[in-house]
Amino acid sequence: ETGVTQSPTHLIKTRGQQVTLRCSSQSGHNTVSWYQQALGQGPQFIFQYYREEENGRGNFPPRFSGLQFPNYSSELNVNALELDDSALYLCASSPRRDSPSTDTQYFGPGTRLTVL
Amino acid sequence: LAKTTQPISMDSYEGQEVNITCSHNNIATNDYITWYQQFPSQGPRFIIQGYKTKVTNEVASLFIPADRKSSTLSLPRVSLSDTAVYYCLVGAAGYSSASKIIFGSGTRLSIRP
């Protein structure tokens, strides 16, 4: 069974640029959630996708957007990058549509984004 | 929103039992309590989830008192590999609650030889 994978592992961008991060869900999972984790902080929920539709959103501006594809893989897009966007971005998949606070979520290793 | 409060850090020794307590005074009737473990440069890993009383699995136990305003994660006979950050989450079932998940800052557990 293949776990959750994310790409790239590390990324360096400059302010104002756009970035796309990718996630492949664990086999059989139809729900994916994205989180931002700043250094020394807990993960902050960005949004969740279920069957290609946004299923819930945290307190993040519209320049954070996402997609989920028919094979349940997912992308996180961030436009107009700011210095504070520097963080570890985590993707988590789960096997059913439910609140991420009660689903067992399976996290990927994350993408470390640095904005200069 | 049910906010959680945990100790920032804890130290213990190999072979000891470690108990990490989480306070969630505003927990709602349909909220569950979930704990995750996170190693450096890795995503969090699910440990255990419960609603009330006691839950036990192969790695940990979760104790929840009758008023559910706190919970305690118990790790029996810890080893060096248990050094990690532990997060307590409180949230309700149902996708309408998806936007309300809060991880908090977690408890940094350090195990010494």
Side-chain angles (χ1 to χ4, degrees):
Chain A
E1 184 179 81
T2 305
V4 177
T5 60
Q6 294 185 242
S7 63
T9 305
H10 297 85
L11 200 54
I12 299 175
K13 292 284 189 177
T14 56
R15 273 174 49 185
Q17 285 189 310
Q18 178 267 342
V19 68
T20 297
L21 310 181
R22 295 179 174 83
C23 171
S24 291
S25 301
Q26 186 161 321
S27 177
H29 290 185
N30 56 19
T31 302
V32 64
S33 302
W34 284 90
Y35 296 82
Q36 179 195 67
Q37 185 172 26
L39 202 60
Q41 302 297 316
Q44 302 298 306
F45 176 74
I46 303 175
F47 43 57
Q48 182 186 73
Y49 278 82
Y50 169 73
R51 291 188 175 179
E52 304 176 56
E53 292 191 3
E54 189 177 290
N55 184 40
R57 190 177 184 91
N59 191 26
F60 280 81
R63 61 188 184 87
F64 286 79
S65 63
L67 283 173
Q68 187 182 29
F69 300 100
N71 65 355
Y72 303 133
S73 65
S74 177
E75 287 183 355
L76 166 65
N77 299 290
V78 186
N79 294 321
L81 283 168
E82 301 177 359
L83 298 180
D84 285 348
D85 295 334
S86 294
L88 180 68
Y89 288 86
L90 295 161
C91 165
S93 72
S94 53
R96 60 187 169 92
R97 179 183 180 182
D98 204 334
S99 165
S101 55
T102 54
D103 267 347
T104 297
Q105 296 193 80
Y106 297 81
F107 283 82
T111 293
R112 173 73 62 189
L113 173 65
T114 301
V115 182
L116 302 176
Chain B
L1 301 178
K3 183 182 175 182
T4 60
T5 303
Q6 305 174 231
I8 294 173
S9 64
M10 294 181 67
D11 295 324
S12 189
Y13 293 91
E14 281 191 295
Q16 300 294 306
E17 177 185 77
V18 171
N19 296 308
I20 306 174
T21 298
C22 178
S23 297
H24 27 80
N25 291 320
N26 296 324
I27 190 168
T29 303
N30 55 350
D31 282 346
Y32 284 74
I33 301 154
T34 310
W35 286 80
Y36 280 83
Q37 174 193 56
Q38 186 176 25
F39 299 112
S41 300
Q42 293 186 26
R45 183 176 71 104
F46 173 87
I47 301 175
I48 198 166
Q49 182 179 86
Y51 182 78
K52 62 180 179 180
T53 62
K54 176 184 175 182
V55 179
T56 298
N57 62 22
E58 63 276 8
V59 298
S61 294
L62 179 60
F63 298 92
I64 305 170
D67 66 5
R68 303 199 328 122
K69 293 184 182 301
S70 66
S71 59
T72 299
L73 174 71
S74 181
L75 304 173
R77 296 182 300 282
V78 293
S79 64
L80 296 176
S81 63
D82 292 315
T83 295
V85 179
Y86 292 82
Y87 295 98
C88 164
L89 284 74
V90 172
Y95 66 88
S96 61
S97 302
S99 62
K100 298 182 174 64
I101 185 170
I102 301 174
F103 263 83
S105 296
T107 297
R108 188 170 301 274
L109 176 64
S110 298
I111 305 299
R112 303 176 182 177

